[in-house]
Every structure is written in C-alpha cells, then in structure tokens.
Amino acid sequence: MAFSSLVLTLRKAFSSVAFTVRRREPELIVPAKPTPCEFKYLSDIDDRKGNRSYSPTVHFFRSKKDPLMASTCNKEDMVGVIRKALANTLVFYYPFAGRLREAPRGKLLVECTGQGVYFVEADAEVSLNQLGGDDLKPPFPYLEQLLCAPGDSEDILFCPLIHNHTICDAQGLHQFKRALAEIARGHLSPSIVPVWERHLLNAREPPQVSFAHREYDHIMSNGRGTLPCLLDDMVQRSFFFGPNELASLRQHAPHQACTTFELLTAWLWRCRTIAIGYDPEEDVRVVIAVDARGKFHPPLPIGFYGNAIADPVAVSTAEELTKNPLSFAIELVKKAKNGVNEEYIRSTADLMATKGRPIISTERTYFVSDLRRVLNGDEVDFGCGEVVQVYSGTAISIPTSTSWMSSVYISYKNNKGDKGILPVSLPSPAMKKFVMEIESTYNG
C-alpha cells in the first residue's frame, strides 16, 4: 500500500503469478475543512537540489481476522476509511495539499492551494502469498504494476506533494503516516501536532560556511573504471543481518566500540569497494544520512516535519580502505557521523544559500540511510482490527543509474523473529564478488 498512489486490495489467489490490476481514475483528496491560503517557504535544507524528487514507500499487510472488529469493517471498507482519514489529516498537514512554486534565486515555496493529493483505488487479482508472503522483501518484481507514478519526478513544480522529499524527510513522513492511522481509528486530531517552522533551518545572515563539506566536492573519474558500461546489467539482492550475523561480524573488530550502524556501514563500504574494483589510488566515499533533530540547542519543536538531515562523508583511498583492518573503516564512519552537530547543519544551509545549492557528487560514492525506526508498519492500524506487517520500506524494484549507489537499512522480521535487512544493488559481476566477500568474512 503506497498512500500517495495506491490502495491495493489483495484478493483471492489465482494459479498464475500473472495478474491484472484494475485502477479507478485518480482523484484529488482535498482537506475536509477550509485551510489557510498562504505561501510557506521551505528551508535551505528542504530545497536542496538533491531533495527535489519523489521518494515513494510501499507497505504490505496481512490483516488478522478479528470477529469483534468485523462489524466496524463492514460499515466502511478500507478504501473508504483511508480516503476519509486522508481528507481529515490534510486539515492538519494542509501544505501537503498545496503545490510547489519557485521563488527568486531558485528557492522553493509551497503555495497552500488546498488542491489536494492524488488517491487511486485499485484491485489486484493476486494474493499476498503469490507476491512472497511473509518472506516478502526487495527486490519486488511487480511494483510497476502495483504503484502509480505521482508525476514527472524531474518536474516537481505544480505536482502533488506527498512523498516529495522537499516537504519532509523520512521522520516527517513517518509522523504524517502515524497521524493518518490515528485519525483513521477515530482520533479527532493527531497525537503529535505538525509544526512548520522551516525558518529555523534557513541560512544565517551573513552566511558562515564553517565546515569543509567534502560531500559536495566534485570528483572526476580517471576513466579507468569499468562501471559505466555495466549499468545495464544491474541486479538487486537483499541481505539479512540479524543478531547472529552481526555477532559474527563483530569478531572482525572485537575491541572496537561502535554501534551496529557504524559496524555494518563500515563493513559494507569496504566489501562494496573490493567488489567494484576501484583503482587503488582513487578516493572512495560513503555519505551517511544523519537525522540532526537531536543536535539542536534548543531542540527543534516537537512535531517539526521538515528535512533535518545532514549528509557527512567519510573518505579514503580504495587501497587504504581495503588493505587496512575493518577498524580503520569503522573509525572513518564514526568520525563522519559523530561530527554532525547544530553548527554542521547550519553550515550546510549557509553553503546551499551561497553556492547555488550544489548536489552531492555521486562519483565513487556510496550512500547509506538507516530507516529502521521510521519505515515500519507498527503504527499503521486503520481501525479494522490488528494488522500484521509483512514489509514496509522504500519502493525500489529495478536498480537505476543512481539507486545502485545507495543502501537503505530497513526492518524485516524473519521466521525466527529476528530483525534486520539491507537491499543492495550492483552490476552483476560486482554483485558476485560482493557475495563472495561477505561469505569470506563470515567463514574467515
């Protein structure tokens, strides 16, 4: 289920995995009550050029049959529940019902027009078991059939805004999703009232770029790599990292104090670099998405749903990264991640305002985001009984020229109840080497 595009009703299973999706015409869901007509400026962190795209998510559920809730569900089907809840939620999150406009010097703002968000009802003649059942995880071969495109991802002006990365980050989207579920269950208002306050993350006057921000350094290729010709041979695999796998991995850095995220990111960056086979003297980088909400003094207001993400980078030559012990990579990741503070993100905002909103260089760069706490279905109960989350995460099925450079940590529960998963996209030859490197780590 992707709230911006599709409500999917999984029906009786058929003998073949080939199935038909019947979509109704898209409709615009507008706020249930009148909302302010005004202009709201995005912050200099919100409207970075790297955020100007859609980031759809997908959620699969299997409902538990609850006789006590049957009468409630019969009164109004799931589609009706979500449609009504969405209209009521937009009263509180009314900027989502507006449209982006471009102000002078390329800065974006939201015109709160109340035009609404797209909503598409659809039925698919396929069962959840046919899509993978409880073992459902990326890559998803049917997303193109199950999802509806929200619009031209390259032209975000004048388009509906839910899942538009300029409006909110993953934490902000999670807050909206939670509000939607609460209102669907009959709450009159969200438990967390949304707060705009984007001016808090605007550039200072005068701007003071106080960090090097090497993530925005433009890196040129030396032309010796082989990846450009392999991007049409991409594969995606999901790797499960539960307690046993992580315990095995920690044996390779037994005296290193680090979090699970730091350990896993450092190791994957190292394995990936070996698999791709960069020139030993080339710099390779890992960019880490860090939620900076807890870094501010005083803190950002409770309910703030804008972008508050910093993107620090760790840099090493390929030779140093792959020849040194794992502890070397861990220290680089820790230093980059722990270097984010209030001044860092304010310096980022100042950089955006003074340097024309540069985009992070993708050359020899690995992007990592930890969304385990925000992309989950634990709070998505729309009032029709208990739901069992099968999968919740980013809607990526076919690796693209940019998605292959990214990994998003998501939560997945295996049949033992352990959680942990990581989708990885690589050119086919590199994937084979990547798997071999992972196996050698475990077996070594």
Side-chain angles (χ1 to χ4, degrees):
M1 182 183 298
F3 301 129
S4 64
S5 56
L6 176 68
V7 173
L8 176 66
T9 303
L10 295 177
R11 293 190 167 180
K12 184 179 179 181
F14 286 77
S15 58
S16 174
V17 293
F19 61 92
T20 300
V21 177
R22 295 186 300 274
R23 292 182 175 88
R24 293 191 179 182
E25 287 299 314
E27 59 181 305
L28 284 170
I29 303 297
V30 302
K33 299 177 182 178
T35 54
C37 297
E38 59 188 1
F39 291 94
K40 285 185 171 293
Y41 277 87
L42 295 170
S43 76
D44 288 306
I45 298 298
D46 284 324
D47 70 357
R48 291 179 288 184
K49 288 183 179 178
N51 285 348
R52 298 184 181 191
S53 62
Y54 286 95
S55 301
T57 61
V58 60
H59 308 273
F60 293 93
F61 298 96
R62 175 183 286 112
S63 297
K64 285 185 177 179
K65 294 182 179 180
D66 186 348
L68 297 178
M69 299 298 296
S71 59
T72 302
C73 293
N74 288 336
K75 291 179 182 177
E76 195 169 26
D77 63 11
M78 193 65 164
V79 172
V81 168
I82 298 177
R83 182 189 284 114
K84 181 179 179 181
L86 184 55
N88 285 310
T89 305
L90 288 174
V91 173
F92 300 92
Y93 286 86
Y94 63 90
F96 277 131
R99 298 293 183 267
L100 286 179
R101 301 290 185 264
E102 195 167 46
R105 294 185 295 179
K107 190 168 180 61
L108 294 178
L109 56 84
V110 178
E111 183 180 2
C112 299
T113 60
Q115 287 175 258
V117 300
Y118 274 134
F119 185 89
V120 181
E121 177 186 349
D123 291 307
E125 295 177 340
V126 63
S127 72
L128 185 57
N129 284 337
Q130 287 176 287
L131 296 178
D134 291 333
D135 194 40
L136 189 66
K137 55 184 178 291
F140 301 118
Y142 305 114
L143 279 185
E144 287 69 31
Q145 293 168 263
L146 301 183
L147 298 182
C148 296
D152 184 352
S153 61
E154 301 299 324
D155 182 13
I156 60 173
L157 298 180
F158 309 104
C159 293
L161 297 183
I162 286 185
H163 288 283
N164 189 309
H165 205 341
T166 61
I167 300 300
C168 61
D169 56 18
Q171 180 63 44
L173 180 61
H174 175 68
Q175 181 180 309
F176 173 82
K177 183 179 68 174
R178 176 178 177 179
L180 178 63
E182 289 174 338
I183 290 177
R185 296 197 303 269
H187 294 214
L188 297 179
S189 62
S191 58
I192 300 176
V193 178
V195 174
W196 186 261
E197 301 294 342
R198 305 301 171 96
H199 66 278
L200 296 175
L201 293 181
N202 273 343
R204 295 170 289 199
E205 290 292 345
Q208 306 166 39
V209 181
S210 52
F211 284 80
H213 294 293
R214 292 193 63 188
E215 59 269 31
Y216 294 100
D217 289 349
H218 185 63
I219 300 176
M220 296 296 295
S221 173
N222 63 11
R224 286 177 285 182
T226 59
L227 281 179
C229 64
L230 296 174
L231 291 180
D232 59 350
D233 184 23
M234 301 296 298
V235 292
Q236 184 184 66
R237 286 189 56 175
S238 290
F239 298 87
F240 184 85
F241 299 100
N244 292 336
E245 290 81 5
L246 292 172
S248 176
L249 182 56
R250 283 193 181 276
Q251 295 178 8
H252 292 267
H255 306 297
Q256 192 82 14
C258 60
T259 66
T260 294
F261 174 82
E262 293 161 352
L263 173 70
L264 194 55
T265 299
W267 178 58
L268 290 168
W269 180 31
R270 191 171 182 269
C271 291
R272 187 177 180 277
T273 300
I274 293 172
I276 293 173
Y278 290 117
D279 187 285
E281 297 180 359
E282 288 183 322
D283 280 346
V284 292
R285 317 186 316 164
V286 58
V287 171
I288 305 161
V290 176
D291 186 349
R293 282 171 172 76
K295 310 291 185 180
F296 286 83
H297 304 283
L300 293 176
I302 296 174
F304 179 85
Y305 63 102
N307 286 276
I309 299 296
D311 298 294
V313 63
V315 184
S316 170
T317 65
E319 183 174 41
E320 288 180 316
L321 182 66
T322 58
K323 300 299 183 183
N324 276 303
L326 180 58
S327 57
F328 174 81
I330 292 174
E331 282 304 312
L332 291 178
V333 170
K334 287 177 61 177
K335 182 178 179 181
K337 184 171 75 73
N338 296 337
V340 173
N341 52 25
E342 179 177 353
E343 178 61 25
Y344 188 97
I345 199 164
R346 295 202 181 284
S347 177
T348 302
D350 294 344
L351 180 72
M352 294 299 109
T354 58
K355 300 296 183 180
R357 297 179 179 83
I359 297 176
I360 295 174
S361 176
T362 59
E363 186 71 30
R364 301 191 299 277
T365 302
Y366 180 38
F367 296 85
V368 175
S369 299
D370 186 1
L371 302 183
R372 290 172 294 173
R373 290 190 177 92
V374 296
L375 277 181
N376 62 73
D378 295 342
E379 295 168 324
V380 187
D381 176 359
F382 294 102
C384 284
E386 186 178 1
V387 294
V388 178
Q389 176 196 347
V390 177
Y391 172 79
S392 177
T394 52
I396 297 175
S397 59
I398 299 176
T400 66
S401 61
T402 55
S403 70
W404 76 272
M405 297 177 292
S406 306
S407 288
V408 178
Y409 298 5
I410 57 178
S411 181
Y412 169 84
K413 186 181 293 185
N414 66 8
N415 54 14
K416 296 180 181 179
D418 298 333
K419 286 188 174 183
I421 192 172
L422 176 71
V424 174
S425 300
L426 284 170
S428 182
M431 180 63 77
K432 294 176 183 177
K433 294 180 182 178
F434 184 76
V435 172
M436 291 174 59
E437 189 63 29
I438 288 178
E439 291 175 347
S440 69
T441 302
Y442 286 145
N443 298 330

